[in-house]
């Protein structure tokens, strides 16, 4: 028998987790990791996502953890059809509530199984800039403390901060052997390896950070320094071209672009220094590696004790630059780490302790359990749902219709 909103089920919570998409991005991995931890605690999560063009490695990742994942159509499937499938899954699963990840999932849940307040909906938004179009009277979980003021300014009345999780047991020094990654790519034990694990997309300047690092390696011109950029995406071709140019100029294979790894832990373990942003930077810290944080506007900075540590944390390991990207500045930051083994060792130990104490998967999952139970104890009902109806209809129907009319004009 499906349990009803407002009453906790006897055999654990039944949570319908609506993923943003099926790519191996930070938010999607976070959602799967939280779901598998819930499953291990006796709850009953089921995952849902709209299909994508090309490979969907998140399907295999979910299956490896014994999680059910329902894929609805392809990327061009109409929203109405996706929501119909989502509603059917909620009924079949006996869901107690919907956990929506990001904006589109929040809208699907609001107009789908959450319609008229039939099921509570909790939305998680782990972006670095607030976006409109999410329900303002339902619980909204932000991953960045820096966004809470902006979230309130956008009208959200039920805000919570739960920073993104890291599986500090699986991502840990010695959990995997980094020598295997080095051997597979011909990287010697005496060479300094820089590693970036990212989706190669323009979003948030991820591809720009990787390209800036390629240029920094070229400027370093150190025969001991190698860079591996692990990832896939539409910007990979451009990055490979930049890597080829840098390698030709240096007369050696200094930069590798090996593609995506479903489990990149050996790359983290092999690194001397990890560069990047978001969950990838946190995973580097969990592996006990010094980390250089990337961000917008060419931002780069070593993550270390001091004011920057909290600033990075408040934006989920993301920075905001104020000037033009400087490969020379990044090269100097990397040089400062590589030339000082003692500093690297101190940052490795501090970074591991810092991430375990603040971002562990276990503590984050517990925070979500509490939010689920609070949502069940105070379901929105029809009156709660209607408080967002005008705003949601404006973003879902009126605004797109207006844009279509403008294009026709």
């Amino acid at each position: 028998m499906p349990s009803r909103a407002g009453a906790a089920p006897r055999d654990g919570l039944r949570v319908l987790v609506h993923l943003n998409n099926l790519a191996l991005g930070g938010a999607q991995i976070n959602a799967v990791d939280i779901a598998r931890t819930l499953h291990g605690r006796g709850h009953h999560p089921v995952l849902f996502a709209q299909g994508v063009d090309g490979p969907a490695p998140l399907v295999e990742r979910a299956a490896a953890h014994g999680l059910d994942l329902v894929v609805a159509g392809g990327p061009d499937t109409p929203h109405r059809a996706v929501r119909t499938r989502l509603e059917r899954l909620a009924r079949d699963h006996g869901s107690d509530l919907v956990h929506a990840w990001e904006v589109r999932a929040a809208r699907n849940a609001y107009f789908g199984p959450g319609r008229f307040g039939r099921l509570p909906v909790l939305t998680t938004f782990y972006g670095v800039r607030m976006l409109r179009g999410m329900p303002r009277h339902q619980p909204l979980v932000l991953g960045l403390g820096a966004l809470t003021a902006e979230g309130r300014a956008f009208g959200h009345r039920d805000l919570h901060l739960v920073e993104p999780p890291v599986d500090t047991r699986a991502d840990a020094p010695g959990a995997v052997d980094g020598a295997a990654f080095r051997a597979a790519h011909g990287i010697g034990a005496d060479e300094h390896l820089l590693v970036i694990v990212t989706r190669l997309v323009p979003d948030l300047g991820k591809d720009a950070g990787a390209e800036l690092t390629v240029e920094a390696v070229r400027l370093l011109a150190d025969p001991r320094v190698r860079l591996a950029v692990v990832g896939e995406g539409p910007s990979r071709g451009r990055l490979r071209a930049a890597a080829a140019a840098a390698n030709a100029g240096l007369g050696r294979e200094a930069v590798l672009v090996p593609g995506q790894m479903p489990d990149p832990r050996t790359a983290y373990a092999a690194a001397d220094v990890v560069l990047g942003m978001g969950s990838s930077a946190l995973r580097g810290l969990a592996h006990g590696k010094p980390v250089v944080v990337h961000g917008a506007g060419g931002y780069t900075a070593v993550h270390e004790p001091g004011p920057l540590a909290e600033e990075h944390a408040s934006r989920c390991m993301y920075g905001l630059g104020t000037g033009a990207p400087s490969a020379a500045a990044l090269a100097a930051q990397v040089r400062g780490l590589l030339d000082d083994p003692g500093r690297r060792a101190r940052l490795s130990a501090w970074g591991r302790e810092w991430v375990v104490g603040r971002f562990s998967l276990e503590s984050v999952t517990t925070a979500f359990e509490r939010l689920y139970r609070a949502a069940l104890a105070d379901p929105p009902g029809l009156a709660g749902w209607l408080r967002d109806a005008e705003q949601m209809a404006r973003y879902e129907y009126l605004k797109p219709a207006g844009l279509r009319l403008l294009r026709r004009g």
Side-chain angles (χ1 to χ4, degrees):
M1 287 288 292
S3 60
R4 294 177 298 177
R10 295 178 181 176
D11 60 344
L13 301 171
R14 306 186 76 84
V15 185
L16 197 170
V17 181
H18 187 346
L19 302 171
N20 184 35
N21 58 56
L22 291 172
L24 281 179
Q28 295 83 267
I29 293 173
N30 291 158
V32 172
D33 283 345
I34 291 167
R36 68 177 172 84
T37 308
L38 288 168
H39 181 70
R41 295 182 180 186
H43 301 299
H44 306 280
V46 62
L47 308 177
F48 176 90
Q50 193 166 345
V52 295
D53 287 327
L58 211 66
V59 175
E60 288 74 25
R61 186 181 181 95
H65 294 301
L67 297 172
D68 293 326
L69 192 158
V70 175
V71 179
D76 298 324
T77 301
H79 298 319
R80 184 184 297 274
V82 173
R83 291 164 185 174
T84 298
R85 185 67 185 276
L86 184 64
E87 289 187 73
R88 187 183 309 128
L89 176 60
R91 289 195 301 269
D92 294 345
H93 177 240
S95 303
D96 297 300
L97 76 161
V98 182
H99 186 169
W101 285 77
E102 310 293 327
V103 177
R104 174 48 58 188
R107 293 181 186 175
N108 287 343
Y110 179 85
F111 289 109
R115 192 168 67 251
F116 306 132
R118 292 174 299 177
L119 283 182
V121 177
L122 178 145
T123 297
T124 294
F125 180 71
Y126 275 177
V128 299
R129 296 182 182 87
M130 279 298 301
L131 297 178
R132 299 187 185 275
M134 293 179 283
R136 292 181 295 189
H137 294 86
Q138 293 178 353
L140 174 63
V141 176
L142 300 176
L144 281 67
L147 290 188
T148 54
E150 193 173 355
R152 293 189 188 97
F154 275 32
H156 289 280
R157 300 291 182 260
D158 192 3
L159 278 177
H160 306 270
L161 175 64
V162 180
E163 292 172 322
V166 179
D167 186 347
T168 52
R169 296 179 181 176
D171 289 315
V176 294
D177 186 4
F181 183 88
R182 283 179 173 256
H185 297 288
I187 300 166
D190 60 340
E191 292 183 296
H192 294 307
L193 177 60
L194 315 178
V195 167
I196 299 173
V197 180
T198 187
R199 291 179 62 208
L200 294 171
V201 294
D203 297 351
L204 307 179
K206 292 181 179 180
D207 55 3
E211 291 175 21
L212 186 66
T213 310
V214 172
E215 178 61 14
V217 169
R218 188 189 67 79
L219 291 178
L220 284 169
D222 185 335
R224 300 170 300 161
V225 175
R226 308 282 296 277
L227 167 65
V229 183
V230 177
E232 189 56 84
S235 303
R236 188 181 179 212
R238 192 172 73 245
L239 184 69
R240 286 176 64 89
N247 291 341
L250 294 170
R252 61 188 182 89
E253 192 179 36
V255 182
L256 306 169
V257 189
Q260 183 171 269
M261 297 175 66
D263 182 358
R265 289 183 300 158
T266 56
Y268 288 115
D272 292 293
V273 176
V274 169
L275 303 95
M277 61 181 69
S279 294
S280 179
L282 289 173
R283 293 183 75 182
L285 292 170
H287 279 272
K289 306 297 179 178
V291 166
V292 177
V293 176
H294 284 165
Y299 181 91
T300 62
V302 176
H303 185 66
E304 56 190 338
L308 278 182
E310 185 56 35
E311 186 175 324
H312 289 160
S314 73
R315 296 188 178 279
C316 190
M317 305 303 287
Y318 186 78
L320 298 176
T322 57
S326 173
L330 176 56
Q333 290 163 359
V334 170
R335 180 85 279 158
L337 290 170
L338 297 182
D339 287 349
D340 191 342
R343 183 186 179 201
R344 294 205 308 274
R346 290 191 297 273
L347 289 178
S348 296
W350 169 80
R352 167 71 186 175
E353 182 179 359
W354 184 81
V355 81
V356 169
R358 184 159 181 167
F359 296 91
S360 76
L361 178 59
E362 293 296 326
S363 63
V364 168
T365 303
T366 296
F368 276 109
E369 279 182 304
R370 291 172 181 155
L371 290 172
Y372 294 160
R373 295 189 185 280
L376 286 168
D378 186 21
L382 176 60
W385 185 85
L386 286 173
R387 285 188 293 178
D388 284 307
E390 185 274 334
Q391 183 241 169
M392 294 300 289
R394 184 169 69 250
Y395 279 98
E396 184 67 12
Y397 303 112
L398 299 181
K399 188 175 180 180
L403 290 173
R404 286 195 296 270
L405 287 173
L406 287 174
R407 284 195 292 268
R408 289 176 186 170

